[in-house]
Amino acid sequence: MALFMESMDATVISTSLPAIATDIGTTSVALKLAFTAYYVAMAMFVPMSAWLADRYGCRNVLRFSIALFMLGSLGCAVSQSLAHFVCARFVEGAGAAFMAPVARLALFRITPAKDLVGATSWLTIPPTVAPMLGPPLGGFLTTFVAWQWIFLVNLPAALAGIVLMTRFMPDPVRLPTRRLDLIGLLLVAISLSGLVFGASLISMPVLPIWFGLACIALGVGAGAIYVLHARISPNAILDLTVFREHTFRATTIGTTLMLMGCAALPYLTALMLQLGFGMSAFQSGLLVFSGAIGALAAKFIVAPLFRRFGFRRAMIYSALLAGLGVAIKATLLPSTPALLIVALLFVNGLIRSIYFTGHAVLTVADTAPEQAGHATAIAAVSRPVASALSFAIAGGLLGILAPDGANTITDFHLAIGIGAILCGSAAIAFLASRAPSAAR
C-alpha cells in the first residue's frame, strides 16, 4: 500500500497540471515545481531511513511515513496557492522518502532466504505499475470528478495501510544504532537535492538554465566532500564501504543506468501518442497502462526464470531486451496498429519488471546484515536522482530540438532511442561482475 501510493503520486498529477494551475491561480509551467519539490524531499530524507529504522523500528517508521504522506496529500487537496501546493508536495515527498527503503529493509529482515525472490516480486509490482497507472487515473479523476480526488483517495489507502501493518506485520529485529551523523546528513542532503533540483530545472526550465547547472555543480561538490567525510567518520550516515561488495556495486550502477533510460518513458510515450499520433490524454494513458499489465504478468514467471538462468544472466538478458524493446518503440508511427503498440508496451513492462525484481533482491543478496540498511538507503537514494536525470535528458533534448514546444515524431523517436541505449547499457555492469554468491 505504501509503495503503491509513493510511486503513483510521483506521476499522477502530470495530466492534471492545467486544471490544478487554473484553480490555484498559477501556470502549468510554474506548477511543475511540485514535481521537483517531491523528488527533492525524497533525496533529502532517504539517507536517514536506515538509522531511523534501527533506532525506532521498521514498523513504527513505516507507519509514521504513511501518516506524514497522508498529511501532505490532504494539504495538496486543500491548497489555494502555488506556495501552499509546493509545500504540501514537499511534505508528501518527505513521507515517501522512508517508505521504499524501510519496506525493503523490513522484507529482507523478515522473509526467509528461500522465499525472498517470491516476496520481492510482489514488492516490485507497485513501483512498476503505479507510474503507468498515475497519468490515466489522474486524467480520469480530473475530467470526471475533480483534481482534489487525486490526493483524497490517498487518505483511505493510507489508513488501510497503517491498520494492516499494525495487525499483520511483525517488527524486524533492530540493530544497534550509532550516533546520528549530522554533518554527513547535511552534506548528502545538499548533494542529492542539488542534483535533483538542478536536473529538474533543466528538464522543466521555470528558472534560468544557468541556475540549474549551478545547483548540479553544488550537488557534485557536496557529494565529493561527503566521500572524504565518510572515509574518516565511524558513523557515516551512508556507509560507502558497501560498494566494495561487487554484487551491490554492479546492481546499483546497472539500475541507475536503467532508470536514466526508462524513468521518463511513460511521459515520452504519452506525449508522442498525443502530440504525434493525435490521441487524447485518456487514450494514450490507456495504451501506456498496458505496460503495467505486463509488469503484473512478470510476477508469475520471475522466480522460475531466475532459477533457470541464474541472477547474473537473467539481469544481463533482461537489460539487453529492455533496451531492444525501447528501441523498437522508437520506430512507432501513427499508422502502427494500436494492438501492436499494446503488445510492445506489454512486453516492455514485463521485461523491466523482471529486471527490477532482480535489482531488489541483489541489493541485499551479498550484503552483510549490519550493512543492509545502508544498501537499501543508497539504492533508494539513487532512484530520484536517476529519475530526475532521465527527465532532464528527455526534456532537455525535446527543448533543444523544438524551443517552441512543437516537437515532431522524429524528436520523440530520438529521445526514446537515447533511453534505449541507456537501458541496454545496464547489462555492462553485470557483464563485468561475478555471479552473486547469495542468490545464484
Side-chain angles (χ1 to χ4, degrees):
M1 195 72 75
L3 291 182
F4 185 82
M5 291 189 300
E6 177 258 314
S7 301
M8 186 173 67
D9 220 64
T11 60
V12 70
I13 69 170
S14 59
T15 54
S16 310
L17 290 178
I20 299 173
T22 300
D23 264 16
I24 65 177
T26 187
T27 65
S28 296
V29 174
L31 196 59
K32 288 182 180 180
L33 285 172
F35 276 103
T36 304
Y38 188 89
Y39 282 121
V40 166
M42 287 190 68
M44 288 177 63
F45 293 108
V46 162
M48 294 180 61
S49 59
W51 187 89
L52 288 173
D54 284 334
R55 177 67 178 84
Y56 298 104
C58 290
R59 187 171 62 178
N60 289 334
V61 173
L62 279 172
R63 286 187 296 202
F64 168 78
S65 65
I66 293 176
L68 187 62
F69 187 87
M70 183 169 59
L71 178 65
S73 297
L74 182 60
C76 288
V78 300
S79 293
Q80 297 297 317
S81 67
L82 175 63
H84 187 180
F85 189 80
V86 170
C87 288
R89 286 288 288 178
F90 185 87
V91 173
E92 270 192 320
F98 305 121
M99 291 180 179
V102 177
R104 287 185 168 86
L105 180 61
L107 184 78
F108 172 69
R109 290 181 176 173
I110 292 172
T111 308
K114 63 182 180 66
D115 298 326
L116 192 58
V117 174
T120 302
S121 67
W122 282 107
L123 194 69
T124 55
I125 288 176
T128 305
V129 171
M132 301 176 190
L133 176 62
L137 178 62
F140 176 83
L141 290 175
T142 302
T143 302
F144 299 106
V145 191
W147 67 263
Q148 287 85 352
W149 281 95
I150 293 173
F151 304 99
L152 293 177
V153 294
N154 286 333
L155 305 188
L159 289 173
I162 292 173
V163 170
L164 292 170
M165 197 175 296
T166 302
R167 174 66 181 83
F168 295 108
M169 177 181 170
D171 203 11
V173 176
R174 306 182 195 180
L175 298 182
T177 54
R178 299 175 289 182
R179 182 174 58 85
L180 181 62
D181 177 20
L182 292 176
I183 295 176
L185 180 62
L186 179 62
L187 288 171
V188 172
I190 293 173
S191 176
L192 296 176
S193 59
L195 291 172
V196 171
F197 187 57
S200 298
L201 289 181
I202 292 174
S203 63
M204 299 180 292
V206 294
L207 292 174
I209 296 296
W210 67 262
F211 189 80
L213 295 175
C215 289
I216 292 175
L218 176 64
V220 171
I225 296 173
Y226 176 77
V227 171
L228 298 175
H229 167 80
R231 289 180 177 177
I232 61 175
S233 173
N235 303 308
I237 189 71
L238 292 177
D239 186 359
L240 300 183
T241 61
V242 71
F243 279 100
R244 295 174 185 170
E245 204 291 300
H246 66 91
T247 300
F248 175 80
R249 183 172 62 249
T251 303
T252 303
I253 294 172
T255 302
T256 298
L257 290 169
M258 178 66 73
L259 285 170
M260 287 175 62
C262 74
L265 281 179
Y267 160 78
L268 282 174
T269 305
L271 274 184
M272 183 177 71
L273 293 175
Q274 292 177 48
L275 301 180
F277 291 22
M279 296 183 182
S280 68
F282 193 57
Q283 287 173 322
S284 65
L286 288 177
L287 286 183
V288 171
F289 185 64
S290 60
I293 306 300
L296 286 171
K299 163 67 185 71
F300 302 101
I301 65 171
V302 65
L305 188 148
F306 281 121
R307 285 195 297 267
R308 171 67 178 82
F309 293 100
F311 275 82
R312 181 172 176 271
R313 283 197 295 169
M315 297 299 280
I316 293 171
Y317 295 156
S318 59
L320 292 174
L321 289 173
L324 177 62
V326 176
I328 295 173
K329 188 186 295 186
T331 66
L332 297 178
L333 296 170
S335 58
T336 305
L339 285 178
L340 185 59
I341 297 176
V342 168
L344 176 62
L345 296 180
F346 175 89
V347 173
N348 280 351
L350 184 146
I351 293 169
R352 287 203 297 272
S353 182
I354 292 171
Y355 178 91
F356 284 113
T357 298
H359 152 75
V361 174
L362 294 180
T363 295
V364 293
D366 289 345
T367 305
E370 63 273 14
Q371 287 192 308
H374 293 283
T376 55
I378 291 172
V381 158
S382 66
R383 193 174 190 94
V385 175
S387 297
L389 290 174
S390 178
F391 279 93
I393 294 169
L397 180 60
L398 292 179
I400 292 172
L401 294 173
D404 59 352
N407 290 105
T408 65
I409 295 177
T410 303
D411 296 341
F412 289 110
H413 284 175
L414 181 58
I416 293 172
I418 291 175
I421 295 171
L422 288 168
C423 288
S425 66
I428 298 174
F430 296 96
L431 284 168
S433 70
R434 302 190 304 271
S437 60
R440 290 187 190 275

